[in-house]
Amino acid sequence: MELRQIEHFLAVVRCSGFTSAAQEVHIVQSALSASVRKLEADLGAPLFERTSRGVLLTEAGRALLPVAHRMVADADAARGEVAAVLGLARGRVSIGTIQALTMVDLPRELGEFRRRHEGVQIHVRDGLVPALAAAVADGSLDLAYLAADGPLPTDLAVFATWQQQLVLVTHPGHRLAGRQRVRLSDLDGEPFVDLSGSGMQEMVRRRFADAGLRRNPVCEATHVPLLLDLVAAGLGVTVVPQRVAERTGLTHATVADGDLTRTIYLAGRSSVPSNPAARALLAHLTSQPPRTAKNSSSGTQPAKPTNAARTSTRAPKASSSRPEPS
């Protein structure tokens, strides 16, 4: 059993199929399939079941999954420790992010970090908070930007926090268009377009339930740009971060009595990441005020993190190759 086979196994799990997994790891599909078959032969059990719905994990595959994550995380940590000795000439770091991140221009920050550490590979994953938090907890992500309508699980270390305001977004021809403020009661029974599985929609559901109002979800999207396109087509209203709304052609309004504010966290598995590349990236992300892109489709906005020493563990210093603030 080789580490590369374990990495191929995890790629198939992430991509839910062999074709897209082969593209992710940059090998032909036949080679990926052969690698997985060899792993199955070494373990003495099939790991995947091919069905009409795609590739599913078998019981043996589900048993291997957490162990595989730990093996890759340990290998990354080993590479990282060697990279630290070499001044981060090599290494790998994984970071996750919610789709509607409005506090940091993450692509810009990662681009700058990569220019300073050209030998470090960066893996970026976007997704929903439960999956990202689980990935941080099991070590498959070093860091992640998470959002919550309350505190994060206690097994995660928090390095910085921000407050993010959500607003109602409507089609310009909607009956509420042009109003700067609305009340929850104005939305009783209103058709909603939801971001599937999103904490933003879960927050709205709770607010409606607490107020005894009826919410009427009529359509779901899996990504923020599609969500906004569906609202623009008149299918319903939705809630998104204020800075996302300001960069669309849609109208938006504050929900006066909804308390639609959530906390954004930069989090990791431990107060001091074991991966030196992750420590260096964390130092880069927390050593200066967040910066935003003027034309970012994610609607980034400047915001200062709260004092990490008050709210969480202070961000650790990077190795001797720590980048200078720009």
Side-chain angles (χ1 to χ4, degrees), residues 22-43:
Q23 294 172 347
E24 180 181 289
V25 298
H26 307 295
I27 63 174
V28 297
Q29 183 175 339
S30 59
L32 178 69
S33 297
S35 176
V36 172
R37 284 197 300 270
K38 180 64 167 59
L39 178 61
E40 291 174 325
D42 289 344
L43 295 173

PDB file of all heavy atoms in Angstrom, residues 22-43:
ATOM      1  N   ALA A  22      -9.245  11.619 -12.016  1.00  0.00           N
ATOM      2  CA  ALA A  22      -8.038  11.528 -12.833  1.00  0.00           C
ATOM      3  C   ALA A  22      -7.601  12.908 -13.311  1.00  0.00           C
ATOM      4  O   ALA A  22      -6.406  13.228 -13.343  1.00  0.00           O
ATOM      5  CB  ALA A  22      -8.286  10.598 -14.018  1.00  0.00           C
ATOM      6  N   GLN A  23      -8.581  13.756 -13.660  1.00  0.00           N
ATOM      7  CA  GLN A  23      -8.253  15.120 -14.080  1.00  0.00           C
ATOM      8  C   GLN A  23      -7.659  15.904 -12.917  1.00  0.00           C
ATOM      9  O   GLN A  23      -6.719  16.687 -13.104  1.00  0.00           O
ATOM     10  CB  GLN A  23      -9.513  15.812 -14.603  1.00  0.00           C
ATOM     11  CG  GLN A  23     -10.057  15.195 -15.888  1.00  0.00           C
ATOM     12  CD  GLN A  23     -11.405  15.776 -16.272  1.00  0.00           C
ATOM     13  OE1 GLN A  23     -12.063  16.458 -15.484  1.00  0.00           O
ATOM     14  NE2 GLN A  23     -11.836  15.495 -17.497  1.00  0.00           N
ATOM     15  N   GLU A  24      -8.175  15.705 -11.710  1.00  0.00           N
ATOM     16  CA  GLU A  24      -7.687  16.449 -10.551  1.00  0.00           C
ATOM     17  C   GLU A  24      -6.241  16.104 -10.235  1.00  0.00           C
ATOM     18  O   GLU A  24      -5.446  16.985  -9.885  1.00  0.00           O
ATOM     19  CB  GLU A  24      -8.558  16.159  -9.325  1.00  0.00           C
ATOM     20  CG  GLU A  24      -8.103  16.897  -8.076  1.00  0.00           C
ATOM     21  CD  GLU A  24      -8.951  16.588  -6.865  1.00  0.00           C
ATOM     22  OE1 GLU A  24     -10.108  17.033  -6.822  1.00  0.00           O
ATOM     23  OE2 GLU A  24      -8.450  15.896  -5.954  1.00  0.00           O
ATOM     24  N   VAL A  25      -5.882  14.806 -10.346  1.00  0.00           N
ATOM     25  CA  VAL A  25      -4.524  14.390  -9.985  1.00  0.00           C
ATOM     26  C   VAL A  25      -3.595  14.328 -11.194  1.00  0.00           C
ATOM     27  O   VAL A  25      -2.449  13.903 -11.084  1.00  0.00           O
ATOM     28  CB  VAL A  25      -4.539  13.030  -9.248  1.00  0.00           C
ATOM     29  CG1 VAL A  25      -5.318  13.140  -7.950  1.00  0.00           C
ATOM     30  CG2 VAL A  25      -5.109  11.917 -10.124  1.00  0.00           C
ATOM     31  N   HIS A  26      -4.129  14.721 -12.369  1.00  0.00           N
ATOM     32  CA  HIS A  26      -3.316  14.874 -13.585  1.00  0.00           C
ATOM     33  C   HIS A  26      -2.703  13.555 -14.071  1.00  0.00           C
ATOM     34  O   HIS A  26      -1.523  13.493 -14.408  1.00  0.00           O
ATOM     35  CB  HIS A  26      -2.209  15.916 -13.367  1.00  0.00           C
ATOM     36  CG  HIS A  26      -2.704  17.232 -12.861  1.00  0.00           C
ATOM     37  ND1 HIS A  26      -3.530  18.050 -13.604  1.00  0.00           N
ATOM     38  CD2 HIS A  26      -2.518  17.864 -11.663  1.00  0.00           C
ATOM     39  CE1 HIS A  26      -3.822  19.133 -12.904  1.00  0.00           C
ATOM     40  NE2 HIS A  26      -3.215  19.039 -11.728  1.00  0.00           N
ATOM     41  N   ILE A  27      -3.511  12.497 -14.073  1.00  0.00           N
ATOM     42  CA  ILE A  27      -3.098  11.245 -14.708  1.00  0.00           C
ATOM     43  C   ILE A  27      -4.264  10.732 -15.541  1.00  0.00           C
ATOM     44  O   ILE A  27      -5.399  11.190 -15.383  1.00  0.00           O
ATOM     45  CB  ILE A  27      -2.669  10.173 -13.671  1.00  0.00           C
ATOM     46  CG1 ILE A  27      -3.846   9.789 -12.764  1.00  0.00           C
ATOM     47  CG2 ILE A  27      -1.477  10.635 -12.862  1.00  0.00           C
ATOM     48  CD1 ILE A  27      -3.519   8.628 -11.834  1.00  0.00           C
ATOM     49  N   VAL A  28      -4.000   9.777 -16.432  1.00  0.00           N
ATOM     50  CA  VAL A  28      -5.071   9.222 -17.250  1.00  0.00           C
ATOM     51  C   VAL A  28      -5.953   8.342 -16.378  1.00  0.00           C
ATOM     52  O   VAL A  28      -5.512   7.784 -15.366  1.00  0.00           O
ATOM     53  CB  VAL A  28      -4.509   8.424 -18.441  1.00  0.00           C
ATOM     54  CG1 VAL A  28      -3.722   9.338 -19.369  1.00  0.00           C
ATOM     55  CG2 VAL A  28      -3.644   7.264 -17.965  1.00  0.00           C
ATOM     56  N   GLN A  29      -7.220   8.186 -16.796  1.00  0.00           N
ATOM     57  CA  GLN A  29      -8.168   7.446 -15.972  1.00  0.00           C
ATOM     58  C   GLN A  29      -7.750   5.994 -15.782  1.00  0.00           C
ATOM     59  O   GLN A  29      -7.937   5.415 -14.705  1.00  0.00           O
ATOM     60  CB  GLN A  29      -9.560   7.516 -16.596  1.00  0.00           C
ATOM     61  CG  GLN A  29     -10.627   6.824 -15.750  1.00  0.00           C
ATOM     62  CD  GLN A  29     -12.017   6.991 -16.315  1.00  0.00           C
ATOM     63  OE1 GLN A  29     -12.271   7.912 -17.088  1.00  0.00           O
ATOM     64  NE2 GLN A  29     -12.923   6.112 -15.948  1.00  0.00           N
ATOM     65  N   SER A  30      -7.191   5.376 -16.817  1.00  0.00           N
ATOM     66  CA  SER A  30      -6.794   3.969 -16.698  1.00  0.00           C
ATOM     67  C   SER A  30      -5.727   3.787 -15.619  1.00  0.00           C
ATOM     68  O   SER A  30      -5.745   2.801 -14.865  1.00  0.00           O
ATOM     69  CB  SER A  30      -6.273   3.457 -18.040  1.00  0.00           C
ATOM     70  OG  SER A  30      -5.158   4.235 -18.477  1.00  0.00           O
ATOM     71  N   ALA A  31      -4.796   4.747 -15.512  1.00  0.00           N
ATOM     72  CA  ALA A  31      -3.762   4.662 -14.481  1.00  0.00           C
ATOM     73  C   ALA A  31      -4.357   4.834 -13.087  1.00  0.00           C
ATOM     74  O   ALA A  31      -3.952   4.161 -12.130  1.00  0.00           O
ATOM     75  CB  ALA A  31      -2.687   5.713 -14.733  1.00  0.00           C
ATOM     76  N   LEU A  32      -5.316   5.749 -12.967  1.00  0.00           N
ATOM     77  CA  LEU A  32      -5.974   5.939 -11.671  1.00  0.00           C
ATOM     78  C   LEU A  32      -6.738   4.684 -11.268  1.00  0.00           C
ATOM     79  O   LEU A  32      -6.659   4.231 -10.117  1.00  0.00           O
ATOM     80  CB  LEU A  32      -6.918   7.140 -11.740  1.00  0.00           C
ATOM     81  CG  LEU A  32      -7.711   7.422 -10.466  1.00  0.00           C
ATOM     82  CD1 LEU A  32      -6.790   7.908  -9.358  1.00  0.00           C
ATOM     83  CD2 LEU A  32      -8.808   8.449 -10.717  1.00  0.00           C
ATOM     84  N   SER A  33      -7.472   4.104 -12.212  1.00  0.00           N
ATOM     85  CA  SER A  33      -8.235   2.891 -11.919  1.00  0.00           C
ATOM     86  C   SER A  33      -7.303   1.753 -11.506  1.00  0.00           C
ATOM     87  O   SER A  33      -7.590   0.999 -10.570  1.00  0.00           O
ATOM     88  CB  SER A  33      -9.057   2.479 -13.146  1.00  0.00           C
ATOM     89  OG  SER A  33     -10.008   3.472 -13.479  1.00  0.00           O
ATOM     90  N   ALA A  34      -6.171   1.645 -12.185  1.00  0.00           N
ATOM     91  CA  ALA A  34      -5.209   0.597 -11.848  1.00  0.00           C
ATOM     92  C   ALA A  34      -4.644   0.815 -10.441  1.00  0.00           C
ATOM     93  O   ALA A  34      -4.442  -0.146  -9.683  1.00  0.00           O
ATOM     94  CB  ALA A  34      -4.087   0.571 -12.875  1.00  0.00           C
ATOM     95  N   SER A  35      -4.388   2.064 -10.086  1.00  0.00           N
ATOM     96  CA  SER A  35      -3.871   2.375  -8.758  1.00  0.00           C
ATOM     97  C   SER A  35      -4.866   1.983  -7.675  1.00  0.00           C
ATOM     98  O   SER A  35      -4.490   1.383  -6.647  1.00  0.00           O
ATOM     99  CB  SER A  35      -3.546   3.870  -8.665  1.00  0.00           C
ATOM    100  OG  SER A  35      -3.132   4.223  -7.373  1.00  0.00           O
ATOM    101  N   VAL A  36      -6.151   2.286  -7.901  1.00  0.00           N
ATOM    102  CA  VAL A  36      -7.178   1.943  -6.919  1.00  0.00           C
ATOM    103  C   VAL A  36      -7.360   0.431  -6.840  1.00  0.00           C
ATOM    104  O   VAL A  36      -7.523  -0.135  -5.749  1.00  0.00           O
ATOM    105  CB  VAL A  36      -8.501   2.649  -7.247  1.00  0.00           C
ATOM    106  CG1 VAL A  36      -9.630   2.147  -6.344  1.00  0.00           C
ATOM    107  CG2 VAL A  36      -8.364   4.159  -7.099  1.00  0.00           C
ATOM    108  N   ARG A  37      -7.330  -0.248  -7.985  1.00  0.00           N
ATOM    109  CA  ARG A  37      -7.450  -1.713  -7.968  1.00  0.00           C
ATOM    110  C   ARG A  37      -6.301  -2.350  -7.191  1.00  0.00           C
ATOM    111  O   ARG A  37      -6.492  -3.323  -6.453  1.00  0.00           O
ATOM    112  CB  ARG A  37      -7.486  -2.258  -9.401  1.00  0.00           C
ATOM    113  CG  ARG A  37      -8.810  -2.055 -10.115  1.00  0.00           C
ATOM    114  CD  ARG A  37      -8.916  -2.947 -11.335  1.00  0.00           C
ATOM    115  NE  ARG A  37      -7.854  -2.689 -12.296  1.00  0.00           N
ATOM    116  CZ  ARG A  37      -7.945  -1.800 -13.287  1.00  0.00           C
ATOM    117  NH1 ARG A  37      -9.049  -1.079 -13.429  1.00  0.00           N
ATOM    118  NH2 ARG A  37      -6.933  -1.628 -14.119  1.00  0.00           N
ATOM    119  N   LYS A  38      -5.093  -1.802  -7.353  1.00  0.00           N
ATOM    120  CA  LYS A  38      -3.945  -2.327  -6.605  1.00  0.00           C
ATOM    121  C   LYS A  38      -4.140  -2.118  -5.105  1.00  0.00           C
ATOM    122  O   LYS A  38      -3.821  -3.003  -4.293  1.00  0.00           O
ATOM    123  CB  LYS A  38      -2.676  -1.615  -7.070  1.00  0.00           C
ATOM    124  CG  LYS A  38      -1.393  -2.061  -6.365  1.00  0.00           C
ATOM    125  CD  LYS A  38      -1.063  -3.517  -6.641  1.00  0.00           C
ATOM    126  CE  LYS A  38       0.359  -3.890  -6.215  1.00  0.00           C
ATOM    127  NZ  LYS A  38       0.605  -3.670  -4.794  1.00  0.00           N
ATOM    128  N   LEU A  39      -4.679  -0.960  -4.727  1.00  0.00           N
ATOM    129  CA  LEU A  39      -4.950  -0.699  -3.317  1.00  0.00           C
ATOM    130  C   LEU A  39      -5.991  -1.684  -2.788  1.00  0.00           C
ATOM    131  O   LEU A  39      -5.848  -2.225  -1.687  1.00  0.00           O
ATOM    132  CB  LEU A  39      -5.434   0.742  -3.138  1.00  0.00           C
ATOM    133  CG  LEU A  39      -5.813   1.162  -1.718  1.00  0.00           C
ATOM    134  CD1 LEU A  39      -4.617   1.054  -0.774  1.00  0.00           C
ATOM    135  CD2 LEU A  39      -6.357   2.595  -1.718  1.00  0.00           C
ATOM    136  N   GLU A  40      -7.048  -1.917  -3.572  1.00  0.00           N
ATOM    137  CA  GLU A  40      -8.072  -2.874  -3.166  1.00  0.00           C
ATOM    138  C   GLU A  40      -7.485  -4.276  -3.015  1.00  0.00           C
ATOM    139  O   GLU A  40      -7.827  -5.012  -2.078  1.00  0.00           O
ATOM    140  CB  GLU A  40      -9.212  -2.880  -4.184  1.00  0.00           C
ATOM    141  CG  GLU A  40     -10.030  -1.587  -4.176  1.00  0.00           C
ATOM    142  CD  GLU A  40     -11.073  -1.536  -5.273  1.00  0.00           C
ATOM    143  OE1 GLU A  40     -10.792  -2.069  -6.374  1.00  0.00           O
ATOM    144  OE2 GLU A  40     -12.159  -0.973  -5.048  1.00  0.00           O
ATOM    145  N   ALA A  41      -6.585  -4.647  -3.931  1.00  0.00           N
ATOM    146  CA  ALA A  41      -5.941  -5.964  -3.838  1.00  0.00           C
ATOM    147  C   ALA A  41      -5.083  -6.062  -2.584  1.00  0.00           C
ATOM    148  O   ALA A  41      -5.074  -7.096  -1.895  1.00  0.00           O
ATOM    149  CB  ALA A  41      -5.106  -6.218  -5.098  1.00  0.00           C
ATOM    150  N   ASP A  42      -4.343  -4.994  -2.269  1.00  0.00           N
ATOM    151  CA  ASP A  42      -3.504  -4.989  -1.076  1.00  0.00           C
ATOM    152  C   ASP A  42      -4.342  -5.115   0.201  1.00  0.00           C
ATOM    153  O   ASP A  42      -3.926  -5.764   1.167  1.00  0.00           O
ATOM    154  CB  ASP A  42      -2.674  -3.708  -1.012  1.00  0.00           C
ATOM    155  CG  ASP A  42      -1.576  -3.668  -2.072  1.00  0.00           C
ATOM    156  OD1 ASP A  42      -1.272  -4.735  -2.640  1.00  0.00           O
ATOM    157  OD2 ASP A  42      -1.040  -2.576  -2.326  1.00  0.00           O
ATOM    158  N   LEU A  43      -5.518  -4.472   0.192  1.00  0.00           N
ATOM    159  CA  LEU A  43      -6.375  -4.487   1.380  1.00  0.00           C
ATOM    160  C   LEU A  43      -7.303  -5.695   1.425  1.00  0.00           C
ATOM    161  O   LEU A  43      -7.899  -5.983   2.466  1.00  0.00           O
ATOM    162  CB  LEU A  43      -7.198  -3.196   1.450  1.00  0.00           C
ATOM    163  CG  LEU A  43      -6.393  -1.904   1.654  1.00  0.00           C
ATOM    164  CD1 LEU A  43      -7.304  -0.687   1.537  1.00  0.00           C
ATOM    165  CD2 LEU A  43      -5.695  -1.913   3.000  1.00  0.00           C
TER     166      LEU A  43
END
